[in-house]
Amino acid sequence: GGERTRAGKIFDEERAGSAGSLLHLHQPPISQDQLEEGFAGSAGIVMPRRAMSKVDVSMEGRRLSHGASLRSMGSIAGHGMRGAKSFVADSMVTMEPIGEQVSYDGDEELFLPRVGRNTKLLEWSDMGSGDYRRPSFGAEYSDGSTISPLSYRGHEILPGKLAMEHGRLPQLRSSRDDLATTLTVEMEDKLTGLTFKLIYTVFEDKDAIVRRVVVHNPKHAPPASPTKNKPAPSKASAQASAVRLQRLMSATVDFHAKFKANLVTLAGSWANERHVRVQALQQGRVVSESLRGTSSHQHNPFMALTTANEDDMETTGEVFACSLVYSGNWIMEAEVSESGRTRLNSGLNPSTFTWWLPPGKSFESPECVLVYSNSGLETMTHTFHDLFRENLIAERWFGSIPPVLINTWESMYFDVSHAKVVNLAKAAAAVGVEMVVLDDGWFGGRDDATSSLGDWHENRNKFPHGMAGLVRDVNELGLKFGIWVEPEMVNVDSELYKKHPEWCLNQQGRRFRCEGRNQLVLDFTRKAVRDHICGKLHDLLSSSNIEYMKWDMNRHLTEVYGNEIAPEKQGEVFHRYMVGVYDVLHFVNDNFPHVRVETCSGGGGRFDPGMLYFGPQIWASDNTDVLSRLAIQHGTSLVYPIMSIGAHVTAVPNHQTQRVTSLKARFLVSLFGTFGLELDVRRLEKGEASELSDYIQMFKELAPTIHTGKFYRLWCPVKASDQQAYAWMVVSKDPEAEIQAVVMVLLSRMEIGRYLPELHLRGLVEGFLYRLEEIFPNTSMRDPHTGQMKAGPPLWQMGKSSVVASGAALMKVGLPIRLSHDGDAVGFVLRRVQEAGPVGDADGGHSFNL
């Protein structure tokens, strides 16, 4: 406190018990044993606040001079910073506490411990100089050399979040300079002059670090140093040569050896995305990646290392997690070396990436978010949710509840028309819907998936009054209007393809090509293509009062070749394509900030932080079945805020699985998402319509809590003790709010004769009293004489519709949960009553206290 700076949590374990502790300005000196063992970072690199680059690096007034790495993920001491990460000034660095400069001293190499670089904990690793693990970067010089050892050149500490140099990639932000601090560390290849600026931003109130790297090839090569075989040059330094980047990570993190470490990833497939996968780490390398041109359905750009076992990892153990802010081809690697130490790499996928870097040019990596928790995945989730809500998604959407929409897709598919959409809107308005979204089938000659992508003008046979007439009629019903587009794609049977066949990603002259879903991919590396799409979107969104746009992308990239890209730059096409997509999304955001963008890629095939930068919500999956959605939304929630998870109530039998579930179950699962409808409300019976209307009104009441509160995964079938039940809970961050929490429990598979355990709530205040209200009780019960399930009177979980209980009782004693069949579900709302004391029963409700 006071004038003392406060260091952040140690991101990795340097000594037993060191992780998660707080370091302060005055540290004990580093012992010689620590230096020899490579544990220098355990004492922390201490940096009092100074102006800009005026940095005094000290350790109790002692000179810090050694060749070992200044251990990754230790502490950067800064004013009020949490979750900070130390950096490595890799080999042969001298840090002077006096004179405020850090100098290079080759003689220090004599004092290096006699261990190889392959055992060291490095912040940024090169290839070919003794570290045989997967490197942070790879570069090929004009003479064919790929050797590029780096030396520390300097560093700088800046207030706030340093904006990206090129501004084309999505990035996190800080609303004020005093809420974040940025450290830049510059490394240099002294022979070629190639420099790497390692950029770290830590946040005042979050255990997170945002990292990225800027690579710069200088215009002029540095003067050559004399050697035994070569005298010093007499002329000025020559023009530098172009460099080909072959690999570039956004972050490399090395960890000490850990016992029983587990790796958590999110994997799946189309209509089955982001299931939680856990595997034990052992010697070797585990890779999670995408080569599809999108972040993909199969793997998500997220990885977490946890010290807890699978059954306990939700609330116990240390967690070190990373999430890449990128939507194209990516890679994350977890490599355990022969010494037992683990390296995590996160960045662009080198299988489809090279970058030609001429003299004087720079290249900037995507950002990588690193999060630390010392209390399991739950706290990690809270940090990711807060960070993405407050520092990634556009500020204008924070706290904004999305309108309850109805999408035309599953009720009409391609068979849309003015009259059908207006009739659907009338029925939707009657149950409380707030927006109609016109999905596929509205443009060109589109009657199925074989034609008209690229022809973004309304079909006048279906919409004789044009888009403006349809939007006007919908608005007159009191509803907002949204529209579906797929700007990255084109059908061969389209006006656009007939006019510009060369605009597709494909090597001209090749007759082979893959038409996934009957469509080709437009070459977004071409400025002419981007300008054309921007023009079409501008015309569409300007034509009428459109307030929502669903941006879809229904196939992956194949035959990736840019016909306007030079041959030596073809390795850039995948990345240039993604940057081109970002450019168009920037255009939409800049010119139509009132339009809420929901991105989509065949469902959840591009659910990543990069897309969240441009739109506050992403369609989670094309699979809308309740029982399938439980695992999908459960895994998604590890990283992504509930407000971002696109989830709709759909018809039964479900169009993807043919399963039949109750309207209540479909409501409760969609409640923990954006909530919307994708069913034909015109065909609902009167009782169903009334029930749906009640659910919609309940969503409107509960959404502010669900979309801004803390999310808890109370039950998960990964744990044997939870059987096949999911339980989710959101707790308000406002202790004065009327609604303090919302809880949902759903049984995915019933085992006859088995009871569910008590449900222990989390995140409440022990000393508060809460009124626990069950919303929409079950009405099915088992006949004790026959065992048959049949309809009956309301069956309340607690015997009555509401009870009063203390936070201590709800968390420590728990709730009895009685669910009796597959898809059976229950929901609760908790309202604050008062601080706990003697509990009465003035309103006739049951009560209990602890």
Side-chain angles (χ1 to χ4, degrees):
E3 292 301 317
R4 291 194 174 207
T5 58
R6 181 165 63 98
K9 292 189 174 184
I10 299 179
F11 204 96
D12 186 28
E13 179 181 5
E14 300 296 346
R15 290 288 198 186
S18 66
S21 64
L22 292 178
L23 300 180
H24 298 280
L25 178 59
H26 298 292
Q27 299 289 339
I30 300 174
S31 70
Q32 183 61 31
D33 287 341
Q34 285 176 310
L35 287 178
E36 290 175 354
E37 293 174 10
F39 290 140
S42 64
I45 300 171
V46 182
M47 295 187 179
R49 286 194 301 158
R50 290 294 182 95
M52 304 299 282
S53 63
K54 301 290 187 180
V55 179
D56 179 4
V57 181
S58 64
M59 198 66 63
E60 280 292 327
R62 296 193 177 207
R63 182 173 184 267
L64 176 60
S65 175
H66 65 93
S69 303
L70 297 179
R71 176 48 211 118
S72 167
M73 295 304 181
S75 67
I76 299 170
H79 181 63
M81 301 189 302
R82 297 176 61 212
K85 175 185 187 303
S86 83
F87 62 90
V88 171
D90 202 10
S91 62
M92 298 177 292
V93 175
T94 301
M95 290 193 171
E96 298 282 3
I98 301 173
E100 300 187 339
Q101 67 178 5
V102 180
S103 62
Y104 172 81
D105 183 358
D107 292 337
E108 296 299 330
E109 190 172 11
L110 298 174
F111 300 100
L112 281 173
R114 296 296 183 180
V115 294
R117 287 173 58 82
N118 201 60
T119 67
K120 291 185 180 299
L121 300 166
L122 303 178
E123 194 66 17
W124 194 245
S125 172
D126 64 283
M127 182 172 63
S129 63
D131 184 2
Y132 299 104
R133 296 163 294 183
R134 299 291 288 180
S136 306
F137 73 97
E140 182 181 8
Y141 298 99
S142 59
D143 61 358
S145 169
T146 58
I147 302 170
S148 194
L150 302 180
S151 300
Y152 172 82
R153 185 173 175 179
H155 68 270
E156 192 173 26
I157 296 178
L158 304 168
K161 169 75 164 55
L162 188 65
M164 299 189 84
E165 294 185 2
H166 302 291
R168 299 185 301 172
L169 295 176
Q171 59 183 309
L172 280 81
R173 65 179 182 277
S174 177
S175 57
R176 299 200 318 261
D177 282 352
D178 62 334
L179 296 180
T181 304
T182 297
L183 165 72
T184 68
V185 179
E186 196 163 320
M187 309 291 287
E188 178 186 31
D189 182 329
K190 288 188 173 294
L191 178 63
T192 65
L194 190 69
T195 62
F196 293 79
K197 183 186 290 185
L198 314 183
I199 302 173
Y200 308 74
T201 296
V202 293
F203 294 88
E204 165 76 19
D205 56 348
K206 300 177 180 73
D207 286 321
I209 306 156
V210 177
R211 287 192 55 179
R212 69 180 188 273
V213 180
V214 179
V215 190
H216 179 69
N217 188 18
K219 285 186 176 181
H220 300 283
S225 301
T227 66
K228 294 179 180 179
N229 301 319
K230 182 178 179 182
S234 57
K235 296 182 179 180
S237 59
Q239 174 77 22
S241 301
V243 176
R244 185 188 300 277
L245 289 177
Q246 298 175 317
R247 176 183 175 91
L248 187 66
M249 297 295 102
S250 298
T252 292
V253 185
D254 284 349
F255 298 91
H256 277 286
K258 295 183 180 298
F259 294 104
K260 298 181 180 179
N262 282 313
L263 190 69
V264 182
T265 57
L266 298 174
S269 61
W270 174 78
N272 200 36
E273 301 91 337
R274 290 174 305 284
H275 286 234
V276 177
R277 306 297 187 205
V278 182
Q279 56 187 306
L281 278 178
Q282 55 187 353
Q283 185 173 343
R285 187 162 59 98
V286 178
V287 176
S288 183
E289 65 178 348
S290 174
L291 296 169
R292 298 168 181 264
T294 68
S295 51
S296 86
H297 306 82
Q298 289 71 22
H299 301 281
N300 195 262
F302 159 81
M303 184 175 280
L305 180 69
T306 175
T307 59
N309 62 51
E310 191 169 355
D311 271 1
D312 301 320
M313 64 185 183
E314 186 66 29
T315 56
T316 64
E318 290 186 290
V319 179
F320 311 91
C322 58
S323 176
L324 191 66
V325 187
Y326 190 62
S327 311
N329 289 348
W330 58 273
I331 190 170
M332 289 185 180
E333 304 166 314
E335 181 176 4
V336 180
S337 69
E338 72 279 10
S339 67
R341 290 180 167 179
T342 301
R343 168 170 292 176
L344 294 187
N345 277 323
S346 175
L348 297 168
N349 197 317
S351 296
T352 56
F353 169 81
T354 61
W355 197 268
W356 188 258
L357 201 59
K361 298 296 182 179
S362 299
F363 180 83
E364 192 164 26
S365 77
E367 290 190 333
C368 182
V369 179
L370 304 172
V371 165
Y372 172 78
S373 163
N374 63 3
S375 51
L377 297 176
E378 181 172 277
T379 301
M380 175 206 75
T381 288
H382 294 165
T383 301
F384 272 125
H385 285 194
D386 287 346
L387 193 66
F388 287 169
R389 278 188 302 219
E390 299 168 15
N391 302 93
L392 179 65
I393 295 172
E395 289 183 88
R396 62 184 179 276
W397 303 121
F398 183 71
S400 171
I401 305 304
V404 177
L405 64 83
I406 186 167
N407 187 292
T408 63
W409 180 241
E410 289 195 8
S411 60
M412 301 180 191
Y413 289 104
F414 297 100
D415 188 21
V416 294
S417 69
H418 182 103
K420 290 178 179 178
V421 173
V422 171
N423 287 336
L424 182 70
K426 291 177 180 178
V431 296
V433 169
E434 299 168 309
M435 173 183 282
V436 171
V437 176
L438 176 59
D439 209 281
D440 204 347
W442 62 268
F443 52 91
R446 184 84 161 175
D447 291 319
D448 55 35
T450 64
S451 76
S452 302
L453 285 175
D455 302 339
W456 300 112
H457 52 81
E458 62 266 46
N459 183 325
R460 283 284 178 166
N461 292 326
K462 296 181 177 182
F463 301 97
H465 308 294
M467 192 58 62
L470 175 63
V471 176
R472 182 187 62 247
D473 286 355
V474 170
N475 286 166
E476 287 178 354
L477 295 172
L479 301 181
K480 298 179 180 181
F481 187 87
I483 199 155
W484 176 96
V485 292
E486 195 174 359
E488 299 164 67
M489 300 297 156
V490 64
N491 287 123
V492 172
D493 184 8
S494 68
E495 298 170 11
L496 179 62
Y497 183 81
K498 291 172 184 176
K499 187 175 182 180
H500 291 290
E502 75 281 3
W503 277 7
C504 296
L505 277 177
N506 187 254
Q507 187 176 14
Q508 292 182 17
R510 286 196 180 274
R511 306 184 72 176
F512 172 82
R513 67 186 179 193
C514 175
E515 293 186 29
R517 201 174 179 257
N518 308 294
Q519 58 199 55
L520 299 173
V521 183
L522 290 173
D523 185 356
F524 267 56
T525 70
R526 290 177 177 247
K527 186 177 185 301
V529 171
R530 299 195 303 274
D531 288 347
H532 172 80
I533 295 299
C534 286
K536 289 297 183 181
L537 292 176
H538 183 275
D539 292 345
L540 174 65
L541 297 175
S542 300
S543 66
S544 52
N545 185 29
I546 297 175
E547 299 178 74
Y548 164 103
M549 181 179 73
K550 184 175 181 179
W551 177 305
D552 209 341
M553 194 261 199
N554 277 310
R555 63 154 290 180
H556 295 138
L557 276 57
T558 59
E559 296 87 51
V560 175
Y561 189 90
N563 289 290
E564 285 192 340
I565 305 295
E568 67 273 13
K569 294 184 177 182
Q570 287 300 313
E572 303 176 7
V573 175
F574 269 106
H575 182 65
R576 288 184 180 274
Y577 174 89
M578 198 64 249
V579 172
V581 173
Y582 288 153
D583 282 346
V584 178
L585 285 166
H586 272 298
F587 171 84
V588 172
N589 275 223
D590 291 344
N591 290 274
F592 303 94
H594 66 286
V595 174
R596 179 183 288 266
V597 176
E598 177 173 321
T599 59
C600 173
S601 179
R606 203 157 60 181
F607 205 120
D608 57 70
M611 285 292 114
L612 278 184
Y613 178 82
F614 298 100
Q617 59 201 65
I618 303 174
W619 185 231
S621 178
D622 278 348
N623 188 344
T624 57
D625 173 69
V626 162
L627 301 186
S628 299
R629 272 299 185 113
L630 287 169
I632 293 169
Q633 292 178 212
H634 177 93
T636 305
S637 74
L638 257 66
V639 189
Y640 304 100
I642 301 303
M643 66 170 285
S644 71
I645 301 175
H648 291 173
V649 175
T650 56
V652 291
N654 180 266
H655 288 202
Q656 289 79 45
T657 66
Q658 289 296 295
R659 273 197 286 249
V660 175
T661 52
S662 69
L663 186 57
K664 174 184 173 181
R666 286 174 275 158
F667 158 70
L668 287 173
V669 173
S670 298
L671 179 65
F672 284 79
T674 58
F675 189 81
L677 306 182
E678 201 142 348
L679 74 169
D680 195 341
V681 291
R682 297 170 299 178
R683 300 187 179 186
L684 293 179
E685 296 181 358
K686 185 175 181 181
E688 289 180 303
S690 176
E691 183 182 359
L692 179 60
S693 179
D694 290 342
Y695 291 147
I696 290 173
Q697 294 307 312
M698 180 63 68
F699 166 78
K700 294 176 183 179
E701 180 183 6
L702 302 181
T705 300
I706 292 173
H707 285 194
T708 62
K710 283 189 173 184
F711 179 72
Y712 295 85
R713 292 173 291 270
L714 304 179
W715 280 350
C716 169
V718 169
K719 295 174 61 177
S721 60
D722 290 346
Q723 297 184 39
Q724 292 297 319
Y726 288 83
W728 299 336
M729 178 179 182
V730 173
V731 178
S732 174
K733 292 185 176 183
D734 180 5
E736 301 301 322
E738 178 192 358
I739 297 175
Q740 283 293 299
V742 182
V743 180
M744 183 280 294
V745 187
L746 195 147
L747 183 63
S748 61
R749 189 177 68 192
M750 174 64 185
E751 294 185 33
I752 300 295
R754 294 288 300 274
Y755 290 96
L756 293 171
E758 296 88 358
L759 179 66
H760 294 270
L761 306 188
R762 294 203 290 271
L764 304 177
V765 179
E766 289 192 5
F768 284 2
L769 283 182
Y770 299 88
R771 180 174 302 282
L772 180 78
E773 300 175 355
E774 185 173 348
I775 53 177
F776 310 113
N778 289 343
T779 56
S780 63
M781 60 183 298
R782 191 176 301 278
D783 188 319
H785 303 289
T786 65
Q788 179 188 11
M789 296 299 301
K790 61 182 183 180
L795 183 65
W796 304 100
Q797 295 287 322
M798 305 297 295
K800 296 199 68 171
S801 61
S802 69
V803 297
V804 175
S806 69
L810 294 169
M811 293 189 291
K812 295 180 179 180
V813 176
L815 301 175
I817 299 296
R818 295 170 293 174
L819 301 176
S820 55
H821 57 82
D822 292 0
D824 201 2
V826 62
F828 300 100
V829 174
L830 279 73
R831 304 178 190 271
R832 185 182 170 189
V833 179
Q834 62 185 34
E835 290 191 7
V839 182
D841 194 21
D843 61 354
H846 289 183
S847 61
F848 63 100
N849 196 10
L850 182 69

